[in-house]
Amino acid sequence: MSMLNCNILPFHETGDGPTSSRWEEWKGQFLAYLALKGVTDHEELYNALMCFGGPDVRKIAKNVEITGNILDNRYRAAMEALDNYFSPRMSLRYERYKFRQLKFNPKEKLDQFVLRLKTQAAACNFEDQLDQMVMDQIVYATQNDDKLRAKYLEADVTLDEMLKIGRTHETVATQVQEFRSKPTYDGIDVQELQAVSHSGNTLKDKGTCTKCSGKHPTGDQKCPARESRCNNCGKMGHFARCCWKPRQTFHPYGQQDKRAVSESSNYPASRFRGSSSNKKQKFVRELDDVTDKVEIRELFHLDNKRRVDAAVGGVKLRFVVDTGADEDVLSAADWKTLKKVGFKAFDVRKGSKKIFRGYGSNHPLTVLGEVDAEISIGDQACSTTFFVIEGGNCSLLSGRSAENLGVVKFLNVANSIALPCIKGEI
């Protein structure tokens, strides 16, 4: 007996899918393996079946009876008993009914569909009519493309020639779909090129991001503009300097009409919006409602703010230098970057005992946590506590840390008179 290696898994009666299909698949693998090993003796074939089949096969194969027929043997009787038990013969009409019900699955290729047809046709006993039956079913199943069905009907061809027609049609359809997709130039989205052109910027190379002008490819997961809102169009995903829409310009108060200078008023004309020479003071007890025409203006914005690259715990991030900020702030996007890349820190805490408010707002910001870490720029380094703010557009470097890192320098004027603090409500 040839040397056999037990690399065929035992057959189990219970499992996923119909038992008959799984048995036919296992039997095909078993027969192919024995043919490869050159096993032809009936007793060796029976012993291999008992060895590889497993408990569910052995309980049936061991009870077979051999008749006096000279052509009969234990292996042949065992395989016949197993076929009758695991794969009882179904009605040909039912199998052919199942064949006629086969249709294309969504996004299924022609060759994949033909393979399913031939698998089902094996139980239909079509014999020499197999190719004709497969061709008829292909024409019937092609229901969503009348032009392709017409080609099949016009050409009286063989199965191989029909498959060539179908494959060519699929290839052309894929190419047409690519033409309809967004146009690209040298691997860069043409719409993004136009966006940069409209905003007045130029794309120097493929390594320049069209969303933030940073030195990384467009679409990089670490792009600082991914969770930022444009100050020009109000949409998420890009900075105002990269916005493709025309810049919105606002006239400062007092410059809308230079002729509106009141010579008789004791107050500067710049304090009045759209003032004219015939403006007179009046006694006021009620206020006119002018909210029907709202004009949006930004008092605080991050455009043209100085940005610096600094390393936090060994990971390079970009900060906006805010000398008016009391604390160092990490945006949620940069915090995700630190956690994804991994960084060094002295301590990390969830939440915070401090409450922060944005410029001109009374609503507190959500503090996700505190991070005690070292920040460095070049050879300068210092330790600080970063506060992770939910929904922040960028990370801020406070005036204290900026001074420690040599980014800014504050001048101390001797005998300076402090300006009076303005308090109260308007």
Side-chain angles (χ1 to χ4, degrees), residues 7 21 39 81 173 232 237 265 309 336-337 371 408:
N7 56 357
S21 300
V39 181
N232 185 51
S265 175
D309 292 330
K336 290 180 182 179
T337 300
V371 181
V408 297

Side-chain angles (χ1 to χ4, degrees), residues 167-355:
R167 291 165 184 158
T168 302
H169 184 81
E170 289 179 345
T171 302
V172 172
T174 302
Q175 294 172 349
V176 171
Q177 185 64 28
E178 292 179 356
F179 276 117
R180 292 178 178 176
S181 61
K182 292 192 300 183
T184 59
Y185 176 78
D186 196 17
I188 303 176
D189 194 339
V190 172
Q191 295 180 0
E192 294 179 352
L193 287 172
Q194 294 173 348
V196 176
S197 176
H198 290 169
S199 63
N201 298 324
T202 57
L203 191 62
K204 296 181 179 180
D205 52 60
K206 292 197 298 183
T208 302
C209 178
T210 61
K211 305 298 183 182
C212 70
S213 300
K215 295 298 182 180
H216 58 259
T218 301
D220 194 332
Q221 297 295 325
K222 299 180 182 179
C223 178
R226 282 178 58 84
E227 299 183 4
S228 298
R229 186 179 299 277
C230 176
N231 291 326
N232 185 51
C233 69
K235 295 184 178 181
M236 298 293 293
H238 63 275
F239 291 154
R241 61 172 174 265
C242 300
C243 184
W244 65 273
K245 288 189 176 182
R247 288 297 183 97
Q248 300 181 17
T249 58
F250 299 99
H251 297 285
Y253 293 158
Q255 294 185 7
Q256 295 180 354
D257 191 353
K258 293 184 178 181
R259 295 173 299 176
V261 179
S262 177
E263 298 178 354
S264 60
S265 175
N266 295 328
Y267 296 94
S270 60
R271 294 188 59 182
F272 297 101
R273 187 192 321 178
S275 60
S276 59
S277 58
N278 58 355
K279 284 283 186 179
K280 296 182 180 181
Q281 298 186 41
K282 61 181 180 179
F283 183 74
V284 178
R285 296 187 63 179
E286 296 181 357
L287 299 180
D288 296 332
D289 188 1
V290 294
T291 57
D292 56 337
K293 296 182 180 180
V294 179
E295 184 178 5
I296 301 176
R297 296 178 180 269
E298 296 183 1
L299 296 178
F300 302 99
H301 56 84
L302 298 177
D303 284 350
N304 301 324
K305 292 284 187 178
R306 181 178 179 183
R307 288 173 167 81
V308 295
D309 292 330
V312 177
V315 179
K316 187 177 180 181
L317 299 175
R318 174 155 290 191
F319 288 83
V320 172
V321 179
D322 190 350
T323 56
D326 297 328
E327 303 291 350
D328 298 307
V329 174
L330 280 177
S331 66
D334 286 344
W335 173 234
K336 290 180 182 179
T337 300
L338 291 176
K339 291 191 296 182
K340 182 178 180 181
V341 176
F343 69 106
K344 297 180 180 179
F346 301 111
D347 189 20
V348 178
R349 297 174 295 277
K350 186 177 181 180
S352 177
K353 295 181 180 179
K354 294 187 177 182
I355 299 176

Side-chain angles (χ1 to χ4, degrees), residues 411-419:
L411 300 178
N412 296 323
V413 181
N415 298 326
S416 61
I417 301 176
L419 294 176

